[in-house]
PDB file of all heavy atoms in Angstrom:
ATOM      1  N   PRO V  27      96.671  83.464  83.101  1.00 98.00           N
ATOM      2  CA  PRO V  27      97.453  84.575  82.540  1.00 98.00           C
ATOM      3  C   PRO V  27      98.909  84.599  82.999  1.00 98.00           C
ATOM      4  O   PRO V  27      99.779  84.982  82.232  1.00 98.00           O
ATOM      5  CB  PRO V  27      96.710  85.818  83.023  1.00 98.00           C
ATOM      6  CG  PRO V  27      95.333  85.373  83.326  1.00 98.00           C
ATOM      7  CD  PRO V  27      95.409  83.925  83.680  1.00 98.00           C
ATOM      8  N   SER V  29     100.635  81.890  84.114  1.00 97.00           N
ATOM      9  CA  SER V  29     101.225  80.548  84.181  1.00 97.00           C
ATOM     10  C   SER V  29     102.690  80.619  83.753  1.00 97.00           C
ATOM     11  O   SER V  29     103.046  81.365  82.841  1.00 97.00           O
ATOM     12  CB  SER V  29     100.451  79.593  83.280  1.00 97.00           C
ATOM     13  OG  SER V  29     100.528  80.028  81.944  1.00 97.00           O
ATOM     14  N   PHE V 149     107.350 104.064 103.952  1.00 96.00           N
ATOM     15  CA  PHE V 149     107.431 105.396 103.378  1.00 96.00           C
ATOM     16  C   PHE V 149     108.165 105.438 102.049  1.00 96.00           C
ATOM     17  O   PHE V 149     108.415 106.527 101.522  1.00 96.00           O
ATOM     18  CB  PHE V 149     108.089 106.348 104.388  1.00 96.00           C
ATOM     19  CG  PHE V 149     107.323 106.462 105.672  1.00 96.00           C
ATOM     20  CD1 PHE V 149     107.727 105.785 106.816  1.00 96.00           C
ATOM     21  CD2 PHE V 149     106.158 107.221 105.730  1.00 96.00           C
ATOM     22  CE1 PHE V 149     107.001 105.877 108.002  1.00 96.00           C
ATOM     23  CE2 PHE V 149     105.428 107.314 106.900  1.00 96.00           C
ATOM     24  CZ  PHE V 149     105.843 106.649 108.046  1.00 96.00           C
ATOM     25  N   SER V 152     112.622 106.755  98.966  1.00 96.00           N
ATOM     26  CA  SER V 152     113.124 108.118  98.780  1.00 96.00           C
ATOM     27  C   SER V 152     112.379 109.040  99.732  1.00 96.00           C
ATOM     28  O   SER V 152     111.412 108.636 100.370  1.00 96.00           O
ATOM     29  CB  SER V 152     112.932 108.569  97.323  1.00 96.00           C
ATOM     30  OG  SER V 152     111.552 108.586  96.995  1.00 96.00           O
ATOM     31  N   GLU V 155     111.825 110.518 105.015  1.00 94.00           N
ATOM     32  CA  GLU V 155     111.526 109.436 105.960  1.00 94.00           C
ATOM     33  C   GLU V 155     111.752 108.039 105.377  1.00 94.00           C
ATOM     34  O   GLU V 155     111.300 107.053 105.964  1.00 94.00           O
ATOM     35  CB  GLU V 155     110.102 109.590 106.494  1.00 94.00           C
ATOM     36  CG  GLU V 155     109.954 110.842 107.344  1.00 94.00           C
ATOM     37  CD  GLU V 155     108.564 110.978 107.920  1.00 94.00           C
ATOM     38  OE1 GLU V 155     108.317 110.441 109.008  1.00 94.00           O
ATOM     39  OE2 GLU V 155     107.709 111.608 107.272  1.00 94.00           O
ATOM     40  N   ALA V 167      96.667 106.901 109.720  1.00 96.00           N
ATOM     41  CA  ALA V 167      96.603 108.190 110.420  1.00 96.00           C
ATOM     42  C   ALA V 167      97.255 109.301 109.589  1.00 96.00           C
ATOM     43  O   ALA V 167      96.661 110.359 109.364  1.00 96.00           O
ATOM     44  CB  ALA V 167      97.293 108.074 111.784  1.00 96.00           C
ATOM     45  N   ARG V 168      98.474 109.053 109.140  1.00 96.00           N
ATOM     46  CA  ARG V 168      99.213 110.051 108.372  1.00 96.00           C
ATOM     47  C   ARG V 168      98.532 110.387 107.057  1.00 96.00           C
ATOM     48  O   ARG V 168      98.588 111.528 106.579  1.00 96.00           O
ATOM     49  CB  ARG V 168     100.619 109.525 108.048  1.00 96.00           C
ATOM     50  CG  ARG V 168     101.651 109.640 109.133  1.00 96.00           C
ATOM     51  CD  ARG V 168     102.285 111.007 109.216  1.00 96.00           C
ATOM     52  NE  ARG V 168     103.112 111.380 108.087  1.00 96.00           N
ATOM     53  CZ  ARG V 168     104.408 111.096 107.939  1.00 96.00           C
ATOM     54  NH1 ARG V 168     105.030 110.443 108.889  1.00 96.00           N
ATOM     55  NH2 ARG V 168     105.082 111.476 106.873  1.00 96.00           N
ATOM     56  N   THR V 175      86.942 109.364 108.807  1.00 97.00           N
ATOM     57  CA  THR V 175      86.212 108.149 109.189  1.00 97.00           C
ATOM     58  C   THR V 175      85.877 108.230 110.675  1.00 97.00           C
ATOM     59  O   THR V 175      86.771 108.381 111.507  1.00 97.00           O
ATOM     60  CB  THR V 175      87.068 106.898 108.894  1.00 97.00           C
ATOM     61  OG1 THR V 175      87.403 106.880 107.502  1.00 97.00           O
ATOM     62  CG2 THR V 175      86.316 105.626 109.233  1.00 97.00           C
ATOM     63  N   GLY V 186      88.363  99.337 109.684  1.00 94.00           N
ATOM     64  CA  GLY V 186      88.472  97.999 110.266  1.00 94.00           C
ATOM     65  C   GLY V 186      89.357  97.046 109.471  1.00 94.00           C
ATOM     66  O   GLY V 186      90.039  96.206 110.044  1.00 94.00           O
ATOM     67  N   ARG V 211     108.068  93.063  75.836  1.00 97.00           N
ATOM     68  CA  ARG V 211     108.475  93.834  74.653  1.00 97.00           C
ATOM     69  C   ARG V 211     109.959  94.173  74.677  1.00 97.00           C
ATOM     70  O   ARG V 211     110.614  94.219  73.645  1.00 97.00           O
ATOM     71  CB  ARG V 211     107.691  95.148  74.587  1.00 97.00           C
ATOM     72  CG  ARG V 211     106.184  94.972  74.732  1.00 97.00           C
ATOM     73  CD  ARG V 211     105.430  96.211  74.393  1.00 97.00           C
ATOM     74  NE  ARG V 211     105.620  97.291  75.361  1.00 97.00           N
ATOM     75  CZ  ARG V 211     104.934  98.427  75.324  1.00 97.00           C
ATOM     76  NH1 ARG V 211     104.042  98.634  74.365  1.00 97.00           N
ATOM     77  NH2 ARG V 211     105.147  99.355  76.225  1.00 97.00           N
ATOM     78  N   LYS V 217     112.454  97.988  88.581  1.00 98.00           N
ATOM     79  CA  LYS V 217     112.248  98.045  90.022  1.00 98.00           C
ATOM     80  C   LYS V 217     110.968  98.810  90.303  1.00 98.00           C
ATOM     81  O   LYS V 217     110.725  99.876  89.706  1.00 98.00           O
ATOM     82  CB  LYS V 217     113.411  98.765  90.710  1.00 98.00           C
ATOM     83  CG  LYS V 217     113.162  98.933  92.220  1.00 98.00           C
ATOM     84  CD  LYS V 217     114.249  99.707  92.928  1.00 98.00           C
ATOM     85  CE  LYS V 217     113.828  99.984  94.370  1.00 98.00           C
ATOM     86  NZ  LYS V 217     114.850 100.713  95.128  1.00 98.00           N
ATOM     87  N   ASP V 219     108.881 100.564  93.496  1.00 98.00           N
ATOM     88  CA  ASP V 219     109.109 101.058  94.867  1.00 98.00           C
ATOM     89  C   ASP V 219     107.790 101.627  95.375  1.00 98.00           C
ATOM     90  O   ASP V 219     107.387 102.719  94.998  1.00 98.00           O
ATOM     91  CB  ASP V 219     110.204 102.131  94.801  1.00 98.00           C
ATOM     92  CG  ASP V 219     110.223 103.077  95.991  1.00 98.00           C
ATOM     93  OD1 ASP V 219     109.768 102.683  97.079  1.00 98.00           O
ATOM     94  OD2 ASP V 219     110.709 104.214  95.818  1.00 98.00           O
ATOM     95  N   ASP V 224     102.189 106.742 100.447  1.00 97.00           N
ATOM     96  CA  ASP V 224     101.778 107.231  99.122  1.00 97.00           C
ATOM     97  C   ASP V 224     100.417 106.660  98.731  1.00 97.00           C
ATOM     98  O   ASP V 224      99.551 107.374  98.201  1.00 97.00           O
ATOM     99  CB  ASP V 224     102.758 106.758  98.037  1.00 97.00           C
ATOM    100  CG  ASP V 224     104.100 107.470  98.054  1.00 97.00           C
ATOM    101  OD1 ASP V 224     104.293 108.384  98.869  1.00 97.00           O
ATOM    102  OD2 ASP V 224     104.959 107.078  97.232  1.00 97.00           O
ATOM    103  N   LEU V 227      97.294 108.266 100.030  1.00 97.00           N
ATOM    104  CA  LEU V 227      96.859 109.491  99.348  1.00 97.00           C
ATOM    105  C   LEU V 227      96.192 109.145  98.017  1.00 97.00           C
ATOM    106  O   LEU V 227      95.213 109.780  97.617  1.00 97.00           O
ATOM    107  CB  LEU V 227      98.058 110.420  99.123  1.00 97.00           C
ATOM    108  CG  LEU V 227      97.669 111.799  98.585  1.00 97.00           C
ATOM    109  CD1 LEU V 227      96.696 112.498  99.522  1.00 97.00           C
ATOM    110  CD2 LEU V 227      98.900 112.648  98.357  1.00 97.00           C
ATOM    111  N   GLN V 339      76.060  94.105 106.992  1.00 96.00           N
ATOM    112  CA  GLN V 339      76.262  92.719 107.408  1.00 96.00           C
ATOM    113  C   GLN V 339      77.505  92.583 108.279  1.00 96.00           C
ATOM    114  O   GLN V 339      78.540  93.188 107.983  1.00 96.00           O
ATOM    115  CB  GLN V 339      76.424  91.818 106.177  1.00 96.00           C
ATOM    116  CG  GLN V 339      75.197  91.823 105.268  1.00 96.00           C
ATOM    117  CD  GLN V 339      75.198  90.699 104.238  1.00 96.00           C
ATOM    118  OE1 GLN V 339      74.352  89.819 104.308  1.00 96.00           O
ATOM    119  NE2 GLN V 339      76.111  90.721 103.306  1.00 96.00           N
ATOM    120  N   ASP V 347      76.502  85.168 102.416  1.00 97.00           N
ATOM    121  CA  ASP V 347      75.767  85.970 101.427  1.00 97.00           C
ATOM    122  C   ASP V 347      75.630  85.194 100.110  1.00 97.00           C
ATOM    123  O   ASP V 347      76.641  84.817  99.508  1.00 97.00           O
ATOM    124  CB  ASP V 347      76.535  87.282 101.207  1.00 97.00           C
ATOM    125  CG  ASP V 347      75.772  88.282 100.360  1.00 97.00           C
ATOM    126  OD1 ASP V 347      75.382  87.926  99.220  1.00 97.00           O
ATOM    127  OD2 ASP V 347      75.575  89.424 100.815  1.00 97.00           O
ATOM    128  N   GLN V 349      74.980  85.953  97.064  1.00 97.00           N
ATOM    129  CA  GLN V 349      75.655  86.505  95.885  1.00 97.00           C
ATOM    130  C   GLN V 349      77.160  86.210  95.941  1.00 97.00           C
ATOM    131  O   GLN V 349      77.766  85.829  94.942  1.00 97.00           O
ATOM    132  CB  GLN V 349      75.391  88.015  95.784  1.00 97.00           C
ATOM    133  CG  GLN V 349      76.078  88.711  94.614  1.00 97.00           C
ATOM    134  CD  GLN V 349      75.552  88.300  93.249  1.00 97.00           C
ATOM    135  OE1 GLN V 349      74.495  87.666  93.123  1.00 97.00           O
ATOM    136  NE2 GLN V 349      76.295  88.642  92.209  1.00 97.00           N
ATOM    137  N   ARG V 353      79.463  83.612  93.510  1.00 97.00           N
ATOM    138  CA  ARG V 353      80.643  84.092  92.776  1.00 97.00           C
ATOM    139  C   ARG V 353      81.933  83.406  93.279  1.00 97.00           C
ATOM    140  O   ARG V 353      83.024  83.852  92.948  1.00 97.00           O
ATOM    141  CB  ARG V 353      80.775  85.609  92.954  1.00 97.00           C
ATOM    142  CG  ARG V 353      79.573  86.413  92.430  1.00 97.00           C
ATOM    143  CD  ARG V 353      79.729  86.899  91.028  1.00 97.00           C
ATOM    144  NE  ARG V 353      80.841  87.813  90.842  1.00 97.00           N
ATOM    145  CZ  ARG V 353      81.243  88.243  89.647  1.00 97.00           C
ATOM    146  NH1 ARG V 353      80.619  87.830  88.547  1.00 97.00           N
ATOM    147  NH2 ARG V 353      82.256  89.066  89.537  1.00 97.00           N
ATOM    148  N   LYS V 376      87.668  87.879  88.038  1.00 97.00           N
ATOM    149  CA  LYS V 376      87.046  86.830  87.241  1.00 97.00           C
ATOM    150  C   LYS V 376      87.411  87.087  85.785  1.00 97.00           C
ATOM    151  O   LYS V 376      87.081  88.149  85.240  1.00 97.00           O
ATOM    152  CB  LYS V 376      85.524  86.870  87.404  1.00 97.00           C
ATOM    153  CG  LYS V 376      85.026  86.899  88.853  1.00 97.00           C
ATOM    154  CD  LYS V 376      85.408  85.680  89.662  1.00 97.00           C
ATOM    155  CE  LYS V 376      84.808  85.717  91.069  1.00 97.00           C
ATOM    156  NZ  LYS V 376      85.368  84.651  91.933  1.00 97.00           N
ATOM    157  N   SER V 378      87.934  85.465  81.675  1.00 96.00           N
ATOM    158  CA  SER V 378      87.550  84.402  80.746  1.00 96.00           C
ATOM    159  C   SER V 378      88.706  83.427  80.522  1.00 96.00           C
ATOM    160  O   SER V 378      88.474  82.282  80.125  1.00 96.00           O
ATOM    161  CB  SER V 378      87.117  85.010  79.416  1.00 96.00           C
ATOM    162  OG  SER V 378      88.181  85.761  78.852  1.00 96.00           O
TER     163      SER V 378
ATOM    164  N   PRO Z  26     105.787 101.666  80.722  1.00 98.00           N
ATOM    165  CA  PRO Z  26     105.418 100.252  80.551  1.00 98.00           C
ATOM    166  C   PRO Z  26     104.215 100.027  79.631  1.00 98.00           C
ATOM    167  O   PRO Z  26     104.179  99.051  78.903  1.00 98.00           O
ATOM    168  CB  PRO Z  26     105.107  99.786  81.979  1.00 98.00           C
ATOM    169  CG  PRO Z  26     105.788 100.745  82.877  1.00 98.00           C
ATOM    170  CD  PRO Z  26     105.936 102.036  82.136  1.00 98.00           C
ATOM    171  N   SER Z  28     103.213 102.229  77.232  1.00 97.00           N
ATOM    172  CA  SER Z  28     103.247 103.118  76.058  1.00 97.00           C
ATOM    173  C   SER Z  28     102.708 102.373  74.839  1.00 97.00           C
ATOM    174  O   SER Z  28     102.972 101.181  74.660  1.00 97.00           O
ATOM    175  CB  SER Z  28     104.670 103.596  75.803  1.00 97.00           C
ATOM    176  OG  SER Z  28     105.491 102.495  75.504  1.00 97.00           O
ATOM    177  N   PHE Z 148      77.508  93.989  91.423  1.00 96.00           N
ATOM    178  CA  PHE Z 148      77.479  92.612  91.892  1.00 96.00           C
ATOM    179  C   PHE Z 148      78.047  91.614  90.896  1.00 96.00           C
ATOM    180  O   PHE Z 148      77.974  90.412  91.121  1.00 96.00           O
ATOM    181  CB  PHE Z 148      76.042  92.228  92.281  1.00 96.00           C
ATOM    182  CG  PHE Z 148      75.477  93.097  93.382  1.00 96.00           C
ATOM    183  CD1 PHE Z 148      74.596  94.127  93.097  1.00 96.00           C
ATOM    184  CD2 PHE Z 148      75.861  92.903  94.695  1.00 96.00           C
ATOM    185  CE1 PHE Z 148      74.088  94.941  94.112  1.00 96.00           C
ATOM    186  CE2 PHE Z 148      75.377  93.711  95.712  1.00 96.00           C
ATOM    187  CZ  PHE Z 148      74.489  94.732  95.427  1.00 96.00           C
ATOM    188  N   SER Z 151      77.383  87.529  87.180  1.00 96.00           N
ATOM    189  CA  SER Z 151      76.804  86.216  87.485  1.00 96.00           C
ATOM    190  C   SER Z 151      76.225  86.264  88.885  1.00 96.00           C
ATOM    191  O   SER Z 151      76.443  87.224  89.627  1.00 96.00           O
ATOM    192  CB  SER Z 151      77.878  85.121  87.373  1.00 96.00           C
ATOM    193  OG  SER Z 151      78.916  85.352  88.302  1.00 96.00           O
ATOM    194  N   GLU Z 154      72.119  88.214  91.989  1.00 94.00           N
ATOM    195  CA  GLU Z 154      71.917  89.658  91.942  1.00 94.00           C
ATOM    196  C   GLU Z 154      72.665  90.335  90.798  1.00 94.00           C
ATOM    197  O   GLU Z 154      72.786  91.567  90.787  1.00 94.00           O
ATOM    198  CB  GLU Z 154      72.291  90.283  93.287  1.00 94.00           C
ATOM    199  CG  GLU Z 154      71.358  89.838  94.394  1.00 94.00           C
ATOM    200  CD  GLU Z 154      71.683  90.498  95.716  1.00 94.00           C
ATOM    201  OE1 GLU Z 154      71.149  91.585  95.981  1.00 94.00           O
ATOM    202  OE2 GLU Z 154      72.481  89.930  96.484  1.00 94.00           O
ATOM    203  N   ALA Z 166      78.467  98.305 103.070  1.00 96.00           N
ATOM    204  CA  ALA Z 166      77.569  97.717 104.078  1.00 96.00           C
ATOM    205  C   ALA Z 166      77.479  96.203 103.913  1.00 96.00           C
ATOM    206  O   ALA Z 166      77.661  95.444 104.872  1.00 96.00           O
ATOM    207  CB  ALA Z 166      76.177  98.347 103.957  1.00 96.00           C
ATOM    208  N   ARG Z 167      77.205  95.763 102.692  1.00 96.00           N
ATOM    209  CA  ARG Z 167      77.038  94.324 102.419  1.00 96.00           C
ATOM    210  C   ARG Z 167      78.320  93.556 102.662  1.00 96.00           C
ATOM    211  O   ARG Z 167      78.306  92.382 103.073  1.00 96.00           O
ATOM    212  CB  ARG Z 167      76.631  94.128 100.948  1.00 96.00           C
ATOM    213  CG  ARG Z 167      75.181  94.312 100.625  1.00 96.00           C
ATOM    214  CD  ARG Z 167      74.343  93.098 100.944  1.00 96.00           C
ATOM    215  NE  ARG Z 167      74.612  91.947 100.115  1.00 96.00           N
ATOM    216  CZ  ARG Z 167      74.032  91.678  98.945  1.00 96.00           C
ATOM    217  NH1 ARG Z 167      73.118  92.494  98.462  1.00 96.00           N
ATOM    218  NH2 ARG Z 167      74.332  90.591  98.269  1.00 96.00           N
ATOM    219  N   THR Z 174      84.012  98.928 111.447  1.00 97.00           N
ATOM    220  CA  THR Z 174      84.519 100.297 111.458  1.00 97.00           C
ATOM    221  C   THR Z 174      83.571 101.163 112.277  1.00 97.00           C
ATOM    222  O   THR Z 174      82.373 101.219 111.978  1.00 97.00           O
ATOM    223  CB  THR Z 174      84.641 100.836 110.009  1.00 97.00           C
ATOM    224  OG1 THR Z 174      85.496  99.972 109.264  1.00 97.00           O
ATOM    225  CG2 THR Z 174      85.213 102.251 109.988  1.00 97.00           C
ATOM    226  N   GLY Z 185      85.636 106.725 105.135  1.00 94.00           N
ATOM    227  CA  GLY Z 185      85.542 108.044 104.501  1.00 94.00           C
ATOM    228  C   GLY Z 185      85.928 108.059 103.034  1.00 94.00           C
ATOM    229  O   GLY Z 185      85.353 108.810 102.245  1.00 94.00           O
ATOM    230  N   ARG Z 210     101.709  86.691  74.888  1.00 97.00           N
ATOM    231  CA  ARG Z 210     102.124  85.316  74.602  1.00 97.00           C
ATOM    232  C   ARG Z 210     101.153  84.605  73.679  1.00 97.00           C
ATOM    233  O   ARG Z 210     101.545  83.811  72.845  1.00 97.00           O
ATOM    234  CB  ARG Z 210     102.212  84.511  75.912  1.00 97.00           C
ATOM    235  CG  ARG Z 210     103.028  85.207  76.987  1.00 97.00           C
ATOM    236  CD  ARG Z 210     103.344  84.278  78.138  1.00 97.00           C
ATOM    237  NE  ARG Z 210     102.179  83.930  78.937  1.00 97.00           N
ATOM    238  CZ  ARG Z 210     102.257  83.263  80.079  1.00 97.00           C
ATOM    239  NH1 ARG Z 210     103.440  82.868  80.538  1.00 97.00           N
ATOM    240  NH2 ARG Z 210     101.177  82.987  80.769  1.00 97.00           N
ATOM    241  N   LYS Z 216      88.021  88.606  78.790  1.00 98.00           N
ATOM    242  CA  LYS Z 216      87.034  89.412  79.504  1.00 98.00           C
ATOM    243  C   LYS Z 216      87.333  89.371  80.994  1.00 98.00           C
ATOM    244  O   LYS Z 216      87.592  88.292  81.541  1.00 98.00           O
ATOM    245  CB  LYS Z 216      85.616  88.887  79.269  1.00 98.00           C
ATOM    246  CG  LYS Z 216      84.583  89.658  80.076  1.00 98.00           C
ATOM    247  CD  LYS Z 216      83.170  89.127  79.925  1.00 98.00           C
ATOM    248  CE  LYS Z 216      82.243  89.865  80.885  1.00 98.00           C
ATOM    249  NZ  LYS Z 216      80.852  89.387  80.805  1.00 98.00           N
ATOM    250  N   ASP Z 218      85.592  90.435  84.648  1.00 98.00           N
ATOM    251  CA  ASP Z 218      84.277  90.741  85.224  1.00 98.00           C
ATOM    252  C   ASP Z 218      84.482  90.993  86.713  1.00 98.00           C
ATOM    253  O   ASP Z 218      84.658  90.059  87.492  1.00 98.00           O
ATOM    254  CB  ASP Z 218      83.355  89.544  84.964  1.00 98.00           C
ATOM    255  CG  ASP Z 218      82.149  89.470  85.884  1.00 98.00           C
ATOM    256  OD1 ASP Z 218      81.711  90.523  86.396  1.00 98.00           O
ATOM    257  OD2 ASP Z 218      81.639  88.338  86.079  1.00 98.00           O
ATOM    258  N   ASP Z 223      82.310  91.590  95.554  1.00 97.00           N
ATOM    259  CA  ASP Z 223      83.397  90.602  95.671  1.00 97.00           C
ATOM    260  C   ASP Z 223      84.654  91.252  96.250  1.00 97.00           C
ATOM    261  O   ASP Z 223      85.336  90.666  97.108  1.00 97.00           O
ATOM    262  CB  ASP Z 223      83.791  90.059  94.285  1.00 97.00           C
ATOM    263  CG  ASP Z 223      82.792  89.106  93.675  1.00 97.00           C
ATOM    264  OD1 ASP Z 223      81.776  88.792  94.331  1.00 97.00           O
ATOM    265  OD2 ASP Z 223      83.019  88.693  92.518  1.00 97.00           O
ATOM    266  N   GLN Z 338      96.401 113.064 110.597  1.00 96.00           N
ATOM    267  CA  GLN Z 338      96.402 114.305 109.818  1.00 96.00           C
ATOM    268  C   GLN Z 338      95.067 114.507 109.115  1.00 96.00           C
ATOM    269  O   GLN Z 338      94.503 113.562 108.565  1.00 96.00           O
ATOM    270  CB  GLN Z 338      97.519 114.263 108.766  1.00 96.00           C
ATOM    271  CG  GLN Z 338      98.908 114.137 109.371  1.00 96.00           C
ATOM    272  CD  GLN Z 338     100.023 114.440 108.383  1.00 96.00           C
ATOM    273  OE1 GLN Z 338     100.716 115.435 108.524  1.00 96.00           O
ATOM    274  NE2 GLN Z 338     100.206 113.588 107.406  1.00 96.00           N
ATOM    275  N   ASP Z 346     102.357 117.292 103.697  1.00 97.00           N
ATOM    276  CA  ASP Z 346     103.272 116.350 104.347  1.00 97.00           C
ATOM    277  C   ASP Z 346     104.593 116.265 103.557  1.00 97.00           C
ATOM    278  O   ASP Z 346     104.600 115.897 102.383  1.00 97.00           O
ATOM    279  CB  ASP Z 346     102.591 114.975 104.417  1.00 97.00           C
ATOM    280  CG  ASP Z 346     103.372 113.971 105.241  1.00 97.00           C
ATOM    281  OD1 ASP Z 346     104.560 113.737 104.933  1.00 97.00           O
ATOM    282  OD2 ASP Z 346     102.795 113.415 106.186  1.00 97.00           O
ATOM    283  N   GLN Z 348     107.032 114.194 103.388  1.00 96.00           N
ATOM    284  CA  GLN Z 348     107.356 112.910 102.769  1.00 96.00           C
ATOM    285  C   GLN Z 348     106.537 112.703 101.493  1.00 96.00           C
ATOM    286  O   GLN Z 348     107.062 112.267 100.467  1.00 96.00           O
ATOM    287  CB  GLN Z 348     107.118 111.767 103.765  1.00 96.00           C
ATOM    288  CG  GLN Z 348     107.389 110.373 103.242  1.00 96.00           C
ATOM    289  CD  GLN Z 348     108.857 110.096 102.926  1.00 96.00           C
ATOM    290  OE1 GLN Z 348     109.741 110.851 103.304  1.00 96.00           O
ATOM    291  NE2 GLN Z 348     109.097 109.017 102.193  1.00 96.00           N
ATOM    292  N   ARG Z 352     107.865 112.656  97.463  1.00 97.00           N
ATOM    293  CA  ARG Z 352     107.581 111.515  96.574  1.00 97.00           C
ATOM    294  C   ARG Z 352     106.682 111.923  95.403  1.00 97.00           C
ATOM    295  O   ARG Z 352     106.144 111.060  94.709  1.00 97.00           O
ATOM    296  CB  ARG Z 352     106.894 110.398  97.380  1.00 97.00           C
ATOM    297  CG  ARG Z 352     107.731 109.855  98.556  1.00 97.00           C
ATOM    298  CD  ARG Z 352     108.547 108.663  98.221  1.00 97.00           C
ATOM    299  NE  ARG Z 352     107.755 107.500  97.828  1.00 97.00           N
ATOM    300  CZ  ARG Z 352     108.293 106.383  97.343  1.00 97.00           C
ATOM    301  NH1 ARG Z 352     109.607 106.286  97.205  1.00 97.00           N
ATOM    302  NH2 ARG Z 352     107.536 105.370  96.985  1.00 97.00           N
ATOM    303  N   MET Z 354     103.675 113.012  95.398  1.00 97.00           N
ATOM    304  CA  MET Z 354     102.339 112.445  95.553  1.00 97.00           C
ATOM    305  C   MET Z 354     101.235 113.506  95.547  1.00 97.00           C
ATOM    306  O   MET Z 354     100.054 113.169  95.601  1.00 97.00           O
ATOM    307  CB  MET Z 354     102.270 111.588  96.821  1.00 97.00           C
ATOM    308  CG  MET Z 354     102.893 110.205  96.636  1.00 97.00           C
ATOM    309  SD  MET Z 354     102.242 109.291  95.196  1.00 97.00           S
ATOM    310  CE  MET Z 354     100.510 109.131  95.640  1.00 97.00           C
ATOM    311  N   LYS Z 375     105.900 103.786  91.702  1.00 97.00           N
ATOM    312  CA  LYS Z 375     107.200 104.348  91.320  1.00 97.00           C
ATOM    313  C   LYS Z 375     108.002 103.240  90.665  1.00 97.00           C
ATOM    314  O   LYS Z 375     108.288 102.214  91.311  1.00 97.00           O
ATOM    315  CB  LYS Z 375     107.939 104.886  92.539  1.00 97.00           C
ATOM    316  CG  LYS Z 375     107.114 105.803  93.458  1.00 97.00           C
ATOM    317  CD  LYS Z 375     106.662 107.077  92.782  1.00 97.00           C
ATOM    318  CE  LYS Z 375     105.954 108.008  93.755  1.00 97.00           C
ATOM    319  NZ  LYS Z 375     105.279 109.136  93.056  1.00 97.00           N
ATOM    320  N   SER Z 377     111.289 102.043  87.928  1.00 96.00           N
ATOM    321  CA  SER Z 377     112.539 102.471  87.294  1.00 96.00           C
ATOM    322  C   SER Z 377     112.354 102.743  85.809  1.00 96.00           C
ATOM    323  O   SER Z 377     113.118 103.480  85.211  1.00 96.00           O
ATOM    324  CB  SER Z 377     113.609 101.386  87.486  1.00 96.00           C
ATOM    325  OG  SER Z 377     113.177 100.164  86.904  1.00 96.00           O
TER     326      SER Z 377
END
Side-chain angles (χ1 to χ4, degrees):
Chain V
S29 62
F149 299 102
S152 62
E155 294 182 88
R168 279 278 293 273
T175 302
R211 310 192 291 187
K217 176 183 172 179
D219 159 26
D224 287 357
L227 188 58
Q339 299 194 114
D347 188 304
Q349 178 67 13
R353 300 266 298 172
K376 309 298 184 190
S378 60
Chain Z
S28 63
F148 300 101
S151 61
E154 294 183 89
R167 278 279 292 272
T174 303
R210 310 192 290 188
K216 176 183 174 181
D218 160 26
D223 287 357
Q338 299 194 112
D346 188 304
Q348 179 67 13
R352 300 267 297 172
M354 281 307 298
K375 311 297 185 191
S377 60

